[in-house]
Amino acid sequence: MMFPTDWSAARAFSLLSLLLLALSSAPPCSADVVDGGRLFPAGVRYEYESTTTVLAGGSADNRDPEVGHRVVGRLSVENLWPATDAADEKLLRLHFKSLKFQTWSKKSKNDINRQFIDRKSRINRFSDQPFFAHWRNGHIENLYASSANSLTEENFKKGIAGLFQFQLSNQHTIEYSTLGKCNVTYEKINENSVSKRIDGCVLPTTLPPEIKHPDKIWQGTLRSKREGLLIYNQESFTDMSLEENHEYRTSFMNEVGASISSKQHIELKETKQNGDIFKANSFEEAINQLEKQLKLKLEKQNLSPKHEAKNCKHYNSCNKFNDVVKKYHDSLLDSELGKSKSAYAAIKVIDAIENSDTETIKKVLSDKKNKDIVIQLYDLLGAALNENSHKASMETLVFTDAKNVEQIERYLWSASIKFNPKIEIIKSLMSITDEKLTNKKVMDTLFNTVTAMASRLDRYNHTDTNALLCGELVIRTLERLEKCKQDDDECILTYIRALSNLKHPLSIEVLLSFAQHGNRMTSAYAMKTIKMFGPSLWNSRVLKYCNQIFFQLVKEQDSSTRVIALAILLESDPDYDLLKHVVKWLATPSEGYEIKQYALELLKEMANQNETSARLLRTVLVREKLNHYGNMAQRGLSSCFSRKFINYNNITGLVKNSQQIYSGVTKRGSVDIVLEHENVKYDLCSFGMFTTGLGYFTSLYDDSGKKDTSDEANLPATAGLELIVFGVHIRPFIMFSSQGQLMGHIWAGTGSDKTPIIQGISQMIEHLEYVPLSNGITAELNVKGTLSLDISGQIEMSLWNKNAQSIIEKNGGISIQGSLKLDTDLVTDEVDFALNTEGLLHMHSDAEFATKIVLCMQIYFVDTNVTTTVRKNQKVHGLSYKSYTTTTRTHPVSGRTFALNQMVNEFCNTIHSQ
């Protein structure tokens, strides 16, 4: 149907007019906000029953009876100001009456029947004055209150005010509360109820700085859930609740941790008419009228909680350093190193150090009663590493005194592992490196410590200042390396180790030069350092050099350097051509069979660890027809493999063994402990050994294959140990450096008794986190973990019987202790949790060399236990009332032995059958 043009225009104009009229009659804010704004009309008082409950307990896998408290009372809410210009702004008057403090009874073991019991407490000190909130568009803009009697009271009122932030429709918004800045999602359930979900909170700036290890495995996991439900009628809320649950677990065991649950709940009990209404043109004018009426000065505050510095200094209850050392003296003796007992005691002593001044620390160090543990005390000073502990160490250690060498090195080793060192302490140690120290061991350890600390600081707290310091140390290290004489291996290796700690790309070119043109020792160290840098720094130039070094395209290379270069190539997503050339190289008759055996072991390990590379290797073997005896059946003793010893809670523990054999004797070997968590690898400890010139054994070995034409057999007899802890190089320990020293050890039986190689205590976990609750309380999560290490060895050799036996024991005692504490002026609720265990990795070897070398090596973990403890404490302040429960569990962990390879198994059968 067609209409006249003038009629259609008139109709369109009328519709447009109606639409504009409808829009002009709508309020400036959205309909949803107006819907929220209709609640709490002026002139009406709403009386609620209010309950705030807090419970603390173990983790979800250790749900024993919790400890907790609650505050109950009567809460009145009324709107004093009917805003004239908009319905989305209110002045809420909040007033608490008849407050009671209650704790959870322990009389019934059945949690369902447990009840809260009234307790006398300091809650009667809370002010009886009302407080006021500026409500706008569903948000609490500010709080107005007279001076509170305590921070606990002030934060409690902020928690109550935060309940009245609400929206009544589906929407996402940002709210500021006692939780900080949070993302909040509202979802309408029906006409009279809305759910509230809170996540993505950014901590309030009023809380102190946190301490979080950048590696997730040392942080543990904190899971939080915050949800609420709002039920309302045409005027107000009839029922409102906000619940939150927080659970912390260590990364190592699910049941080691703690949890908090909090619930705020208000229920409408009574509605009264009230004539207290202020007529004002603005909110500020209404507040001024309110202050005049109450004759009070109201302080304007936001909802951020004020931190209650509740610590031992606040309560004047710090454990004195001297008393703590006295209590745990026997646990710190040399005989306890490597055990969980000393690791547990270490955390207690570190806590005491952190609360002690310099003079107190010096007094304990000089006490004659502590003479037998003074070295362990320097370990713990390095672990604490704050201003006072460092000052005490520097004032008691004399770097030029030979008697202080062991104390100096132990302090520096422990300090080098600290993940968050202070830049002032690093600069203090740097100044000592400028001095001329005659003791090369101290100088080596000092420079390694400084570079390790600077690298960690820059890596974990990357700022311009920290990056500048790290860069300065890289340049200084390269300059000192350049000044080393070409034949001074000791000098060169000192600064190559420093570069391995710095892990800076500026050092790549220098290290590549040493790898390709250095002597057998410096080239191997340089290549090992590049490998420690990891794939992130293995660019195309590095891979090109590794290819040249392994295939000896430029010059002949040391076998150790070559196999490390090959390991880098195989860990860098090798392509088809590389794998083809490596497998073809295995059939090269001019190559020594031990290096070919080691290369084959690397190929097998690559296939075990990387499925993509494994498929590519199978393709190469089939297409190139290389899967035959000549390539894949080498006869050497060298080995390279990894074995799992932990597969729990998303953590995989690996033992990596590498033994490069030369003529029947380990030329270079290592046993590494590696953890994998969420596809990230963490190197815990690497224990290595190197030897040269053991010609006596070389002459006895089966030499039916090609003779090694290198000068290996003509080198001086040396043997040493290398240790890397948490990625930090410890200077090598030389057992002997000449044939004379070796024979001296043999005739004197020096190693017949168990001899410590390296001992020490270091801190591996340091975590401080704050968990603000919606009720205004802030929970403090504090976790520390220590490692007590004892690596010792024993060797017996008989030239008469022509046999030898050796044992190397890597014993590590581990203790993780944490607490989740809610500390207020009313009450302290605390959950302490702990894990204590020992990791005992032993390497046994038996050798016979009557006619030819027969070597049996065994690597195994010893049976051990994991002990977990959860203790829940409650203390009501102002009363003698205390409550605590303790739960201890022991988990046995079976030991295991790791197979090496078929040839070693045959040697073991031969020796043990005799």
Side-chain angles (χ1 to χ4, degrees), residues 635-825:
R635 67 184 184 89
L637 288 174
S638 297
S639 63
C640 177
F641 65 86
S642 61
R643 302 285 187 269
K644 291 182 180 180
F645 68 93
I646 292 176
N647 191 7
Y648 176 78
N649 197 24
N650 201 27
I651 291 181
T652 302
L654 298 175
V655 176
K656 291 189 173 184
N657 177 72
S658 170
Q659 300 293 327
Q660 186 190 351
I661 305 298
Y662 171 79
S663 296
V665 179
T666 298
K667 178 183 178 183
R668 184 173 290 276
S670 68
V671 176
D672 305 340
I673 308 296
V674 179
L675 294 182
E676 291 185 359
H677 180 246
E678 297 180 353
N679 297 320
V680 180
K681 292 184 178 181
Y682 302 93
D683 297 316
L684 293 189
C685 181
S686 174
F687 178 83
M689 184 173 71
F690 57 90
T691 66
T692 62
L694 299 182
Y696 177 77
F697 300 103
T698 301
S699 63
L700 297 174
Y701 191 64
D702 178 12
D703 60 351
S704 57
K706 176 185 176 294
K707 287 278 188 176
D708 195 316
T709 57
S710 71
D711 61 350
E712 189 81 29
N714 300 320
L715 293 171
T718 60
L721 302 172
E722 299 171 318
L723 186 66
I724 302 173
V725 181
F726 295 107
V728 178
H729 250 300
I730 307 298
R731 67 163 180 81
F733 298 84
I734 305 300
M735 294 183 288
F736 54 85
S737 57
S738 67
Q739 190 78 20
Q741 289 183 9
L742 170 60
M743 297 308 295
H745 285 305
I746 293 175
W747 293 115
T750 309
S752 298
D753 297 325
K754 185 178 176 181
T755 305
I757 299 171
I758 183 170
Q759 297 175 317
I761 306 174
S762 55
Q763 185 169 250
M764 58 183 183
I765 298 176
E766 185 179 10
H767 186 85
L768 177 63
E769 186 171 0
Y770 295 98
V771 186
L773 305 179
S774 57
N775 57 29
I777 299 174
T778 299
E780 180 182 285
L781 174 63
N782 197 336
V783 187
K784 282 187 171 68
T786 54
L787 169 67
S788 177
L789 187 65
D790 175 35
I791 300 179
S792 56
Q794 178 179 346
I795 184 168
E796 295 181 354
M797 182 178 291
S798 172
L799 295 179
W800 180 264
N801 295 316
K802 293 183 171 55
N803 60 24
Q805 298 83 35
S806 67
I807 302 174
I808 295 178
E809 298 182 355
K810 298 172 68 173
N811 299 330
I814 296 173
S815 181
I816 300 174
Q817 298 173 48
S819 69
L820 191 57
K821 181 187 293 187
L822 300 97
D823 207 349
T824 68
D825 280 342

Side-chain angles (χ1 to χ4, degrees), residues 6 65 80 113 138 224 244 278 283 352 436-437 468 546 684 695 717 871 904:
D6 56 343
L80 300 180
N113 297 325
S224 298
E244 53 186 315
F278 293 94
F283 180 82
K436 291 184 178 181
L437 300 178
L468 186 63
C546 288
L684 293 189
R871 179 185 174 96
V904 172

Side-chain angles (χ1 to χ4, degrees), residues 423 426 430 447 450-451 453-459 462-479 499 502-507:
I423 193 168
I426 299 176
M430 281 178 63
F447 210 84
V450 170
T451 51
M453 292 170 73
S455 176
R456 285 175 180 269
L457 182 66
D458 181 43
R459 193 161 67 250
H462 186 72
T463 64
D464 291 342
T465 301
N466 295 341
L468 186 63
L469 177 67
C470 189
E472 178 185 341
L473 270 170
V474 172
I475 294 172
R476 183 181 297 193
T477 304
L478 292 173
E479 288 175 348
L499 292 176
L502 287 166
K503 295 181 175 63
H504 200 284
L506 280 176
S507 59

Side-chain angles (χ1 to χ4, degrees), residues 378 396-410 442:
Y378 278 109
T396 54
L397 292 172
V398 182
F399 280 72
T400 55
D401 188 350
K403 296 180 181 179
N404 281 178
V405 170
E406 190 170 5
Q407 290 97 316
I408 292 170
E409 289 199 299
R410 290 278 284 269
V442 171

Side-chain angles (χ1 to χ4, degrees), residues 53-224:
T53 308
V54 180
L55 296 175
S59 65
D61 293 342
N62 194 357
R63 284 295 193 207
D64 294 316
E66 299 162 301
V67 294
H69 70 272
R70 73 179 183 183
V71 175
V72 297
R74 195 84 168 182
L75 173 67
S76 67
V77 182
E78 55 189 304
N79 179 12
L80 300 180
W81 176 52
T84 56
D85 58 343
D88 60 350
E89 195 169 13
K90 306 177 191 297
L91 172 57
L92 296 180
R93 177 183 184 270
L94 306 170
H95 193 186
F96 259 115
K97 296 178 182 178
S98 305
L99 284 177
K100 292 182 181 180
F101 176 81
Q102 301 174 334
T103 62
W104 206 357
S105 169
K106 287 179 59 180
K107 291 183 179 180
S108 174
K109 293 184 179 179
N110 186 347
D111 284 355
I112 298 175
N113 297 325
R114 288 180 72 175
Q115 297 178 344
F116 282 93
I117 300 174
D118 290 347
R119 299 282 185 188
K120 290 183 179 180
S121 71
R122 294 174 179 172
I123 201 166
N124 56 10
R125 299 181 184 179
F126 278 22
S127 171
D128 192 38
Q129 294 290 337
F131 54 104
F132 307 88
H134 182 192
W135 186 96
R136 178 188 289 172
N137 288 341
H139 300 274
I140 299 296
E141 298 286 322
N142 288 294
L143 199 66
Y144 295 82
S146 56
S147 298
N149 293 324
S150 67
L151 291 179
T152 300
E153 177 189 345
E154 187 174 318
N155 290 333
F156 178 72
K157 290 179 178 178
K158 291 179 178 181
I160 292 297
L163 284 175
F164 293 90
Q165 299 199 103
F166 61 87
Q167 305 292 338
L168 301 183
S169 61
N170 296 330
Q171 61 178 284
H172 300 280
T173 185
I174 293 176
E175 290 182 358
Y176 294 85
S177 66
T178 56
L179 304 175
K181 179 183 177 182
C182 300
N183 298 320
V184 184
T185 302
Y186 291 92
E187 292 183 0
K188 198 170 180 65
I189 300 173
N190 53 46
E191 291 184 0
N192 296 314
S193 60
V194 174
S195 69
K196 180 177 183 179
R197 188 175 70 252
I198 304 173
D199 54 27
C201 292
V202 178
L203 285 182
T205 56
T206 52
L207 296 178
E210 296 183 320
I211 300 173
K212 289 186 179 181
H213 200 293
D215 295 332
K216 288 186 177 181
I217 194 171
W218 308 122
Q219 288 183 9
T221 303
L222 178 67
R223 293 186 175 91
S224 298

Side-chain angles (χ1 to χ4, degrees), residues 643-646 653-655 671-673 810 838-843 858-864 893-898:
R643 302 285 187 269
K644 291 182 180 180
F645 68 93
I646 292 176
L654 298 175
V655 176
V671 176
D672 305 340
I673 308 296
K810 298 172 68 173
E838 294 169 357
L840 313 175
L841 177 66
H842 295 178
M843 294 181 289
Q858 295 172 306
I859 301 176
Y860 63 93
F861 273 103
V862 182
D863 292 346
T864 188
V893 179
S894 301
R896 60 182 60 189
T897 302
F898 302 105

